[in-house]
């Protein structure tokens, strides 16, 4: 008997590609959505400049990395001199300024790994996270955006995976599952590992972009217009790739040994990173290396219980695509 991980994709898998592409199109943000986001950024920028005239406002996360859906929030990073004030003090002051300017639900979240002010825009209802001087997020936003321009299958795959993760309840870091950012890195690494490759490893190529963040060099090849045909030899359809993505995470990935690494375009060993045992709250059960903050494991939030939930969800998703008559519907059924 064939073992589960040797199963081949069903022969009629391609019949689901049009349905999946239609779903992808429906998830892309509308022009109206984008202009509402821009209005929020403009009014935020006005508020901030009153108190901090030299602050620079950067968009990061999915409103700037091209992986944003019409449900995504707006992530903003303020770059500024903080002088003798701590980040926490600046955030508390910022929260006061925003309340005065009538933003809704303003809340300073100081204890998070990356402290932020969260608020919502009374006009559009958008939720917005603001951090201070977190330039790693600005750098990884550009990296993701550049990868997205190489082969359109990355955006298609990542939108479908993010949509699936939200509906299945496995996109909640505070509950021990994975961030959207982690899912996008999983998609990039997966496409770097296809045969023939669909994506290159930009950090292993000539460095045409270099940004120094807190003493760490974030460098890679960013002239992606030169790579438009990179994935052309690989003819896999989005239905095949989506199935193979879930199948990889359900049956192929070696959770005990491997770390996925967009930085190297490969998997590397936990041994090599010293991620073999739990340190504090970092359990390293499912390991996803951040491309620039390489000591940071994006899977650190995953615990014994949630890794089981995640793996069951990957298996379920692979099975739906493999067996169902209408996987475009059943795959995304809310849990
Ligand atoms: P969504 O559409 O779900 O909002 P997103 O890409 O904006 O997706 P968020 O979880 O809101 O995802 O994260 C915003 C950005 O913050 C990411 O794109 C990334 O740049 C950065 N980020 C998020 N989580 C982490 C993390 N654990 N480590 C480092 N950077 C992170
Ligand atoms: Mg976001």
């Amino acid at each position: 008997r064939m073992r589960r991980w040797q199963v081949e994709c069903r022969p009629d898998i391609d019949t689901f590609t049009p349905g999946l592409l239609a779903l992808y199109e429906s998830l892309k943000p509308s022009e109206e959505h984008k202009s509402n986001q821009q209005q929020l950024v403009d009014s935020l920028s006005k508020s901030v400049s009153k108190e901090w005239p030299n602050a620079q406002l950067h968009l990061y996360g999915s409103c700037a990395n091209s992986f944003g859906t019409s449900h995504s929030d707006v992530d903003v990073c303020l770059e500024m001199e903080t002088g003798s004030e701590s980040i926490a003090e600046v955030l508390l002051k910022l929260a006061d300024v925003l309340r005065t300017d009538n933003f809704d639900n303003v809340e300073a979240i100081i204890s998070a790994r990356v402290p932020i002010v969260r608020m919502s825009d009374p006009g559009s209802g958008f939720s917005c996270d603001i951090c201070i001087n977190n330039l790693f997020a600005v750098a990884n936003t550009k990296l993701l955006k550049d990868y997205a321009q190489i082969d359109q299958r990355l955006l298609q795959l990542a939108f479908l995976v993010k949509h699936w993760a939200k509906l299945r309840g496995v996109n909640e870091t505070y509950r021990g599952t994975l961030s959207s950012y982690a899912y996008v890195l999983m998609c990039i690494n997966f496409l770097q590992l296809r045969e023939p490759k669909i994506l290159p490893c930009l950090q292993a190529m000539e460095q045409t972009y270099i940004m120094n963040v807190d003493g760490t060099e974030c460098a890679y090849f960013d002239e992606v217009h030169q790579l438009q045909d990179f994935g052309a030899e690989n003819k896999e359809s989005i239905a095949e790739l989506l199935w193979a993505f879930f199948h990889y995470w359900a049956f192929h990935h070696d959770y005990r040994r491997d770390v996925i690494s967009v930085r190297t375009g490969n998997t590397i060993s936990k041994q090599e990173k010293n991620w073999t045992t739990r340190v504090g709250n970092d359990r390293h059960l499912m390991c996803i290396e951040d491309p620039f903050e390489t000591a940071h494991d994006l899977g650190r939030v995953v615990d014994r219980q949630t890794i089981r939930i995640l793996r069951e969800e990957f298996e379920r998703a692979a099975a739906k695509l493999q067996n169902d008559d209408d996987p475009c519907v059943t795959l995304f059924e809310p849990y």
Side-chain angles (χ1 to χ4, degrees):
R1 258 188 41 180
M2 284 241 274
R3 290 175 187 272
R4 284 191 300 184
W5 53 88
Q6 292 170 331
V7 165
E8 278 183 25
C9 192
R10 67 202 277 178
D12 63 343
I13 188 82
D14 269 350
T15 58
F16 304 114
T17 289
L20 290 170
L21 288 179
L23 176 58
Y24 160 71
E25 289 296 332
S26 75
L27 296 170
K28 286 206 292 196
S30 62
E31 288 307 317
E32 186 195 352
H33 181 86
K34 287 186 209 159
S35 84
N36 284 341
Q37 275 190 345
Q38 193 52 50
Q39 272 178 30
L40 165 57
V41 171
D42 293 344
S43 53
L44 176 64
S45 169
K46 246 194 218 153
S47 287
V48 169
S49 64
K50 279 187 275 177
E51 184 74 34
W52 296 278
N54 296 321
Q56 270 193 67
L57 197 141
H58 304 276
L59 289 179
Y60 72 101
S62 61
C63 57
N65 66 17
S66 65
F67 292 90
T69 67
S70 37
H71 308 288
S72 296
D73 58 359
V74 179
D75 300 299
V76 175
C77 173
L78 296 180
E79 183 179 4
M80 61 163 82
E81 300 283 342
T82 54
S84 59
E85 280 183 313
S86 68
I87 299 282
E89 285 166 334
V90 175
L91 286 172
L92 290 170
K93 194 190 275 181
L94 175 65
D96 279 339
V97 169
L98 296 175
R99 279 188 201 105
T100 309
D101 286 349
N102 293 321
F103 286 100
D104 284 341
N105 309 313
V106 180
E107 183 188 4
I109 305 172
I110 303 297
S111 60
R113 192 186 75 90
V114 177
I116 56 168
V117 169
R118 177 164 291 166
M119 55 97 165
S120 53
D121 180 36
S124 60
F126 286 135
S127 156
C128 178
D129 286 353
I130 307 160
C131 66
I132 312 284
N133 294 339
N134 179 17
L135 295 178
F136 277 116
V138 177
N140 69 40
T141 293
K142 175 168 158 61
L143 180 71
L144 265 47
K145 186 177 176 200
D146 286 333
Y147 269 114
Q149 287 173 49
I150 299 171
D151 194 293
Q152 60 178 354
R153 287 170 289 186
L154 171 59
L155 274 183
Q156 295 164 350
L157 179 67
F159 268 67
L160 294 169
V161 168
K162 272 175 66 170
H163 184 57
W164 163 86
K166 286 192 165 85
L167 289 169
R168 299 297 302 170
V170 288
N171 181 204
E172 297 172 329
T173 44
Y174 57 92
R175 285 198 176 141
T177 55
L178 300 168
S179 66
S180 298
Y181 177 56
Y183 282 111
V184 175
L185 292 175
M186 288 158 70
C187 291
I188 294 174
N189 186 249
F190 170 76
L191 298 178
Q192 288 175 325
L193 289 169
R194 298 311 284 168
E195 269 316 326
K197 294 182 197 314
I198 294 181
L199 289 179
C201 175
L202 295 177
Q203 288 172 275
M205 296 167 66
E206 182 198 348
Q207 303 181 340
T208 54
Y209 172 83
I210 302 178
M211 169 162 160
N212 196 295
V213 183
D214 305 338
T216 299
E217 189 168 85
C218 303
Y220 65 95
F221 183 77
D222 76 336
E223 294 174 9
V224 286
H225 55 275
Q226 293 181 31
L227 300 171
Q228 291 306 298
D229 297 325
F230 185 89
E233 240 179 87
N234 183 311
K235 307 284 185 216
E236 287 173 297
S237 69
I238 194 62
E240 248 174 303
L241 290 169
L242 188 62
W243 172 82
F245 175 85
F246 288 124
H247 198 262
Y248 170 82
W249 284 100
F251 306 118
H252 282 280
H253 182 73
D254 189 339
Y255 288 81
R256 281 180 41 197
R257 231 201 54 151
D258 286 345
V259 176
I260 67 150
S261 164
V262 166
R263 174 180 61 92
T264 60
N266 219 320
T267 54
I268 56 182
S269 73
K270 288 192 187 182
Q271 203 92 41
E272 190 176 323
K273 301 220 45 124
N274 250 321
W275 285 353
T276 48
T277 52
R278 175 173 174 172
V279 178
N281 263 335
D282 292 14
R283 294 176 177 83
H284 301 307
L285 296 174
M286 175 172 178
C287 296
I288 303 164
E289 181 194 59
D290 187 275
F292 297 132
E293 290 177 278
T294 56
H296 182 200
D297 176 7
L298 291 159
R300 62 203 263 280
V301 291
V302 175
D303 62 31
R304 298 230 171 261
Q305 194 202 344
T306 53
I307 197 168
R308 194 176 49 77
I309 293 171
L310 280 164
R311 294 183 67 168
E312 280 170 11
E313 284 297 330
F314 294 138
E315 285 185 38
R316 174 191 177 276
K320 293 282 163 200
L321 283 162
Q322 183 77 340
N323 304 319
D324 287 8
D325 292 333
D326 52 354
C328 298
V329 176
T330 56
L331 178 61
F332 302 99
E333 270 163 7
Y335 72 107

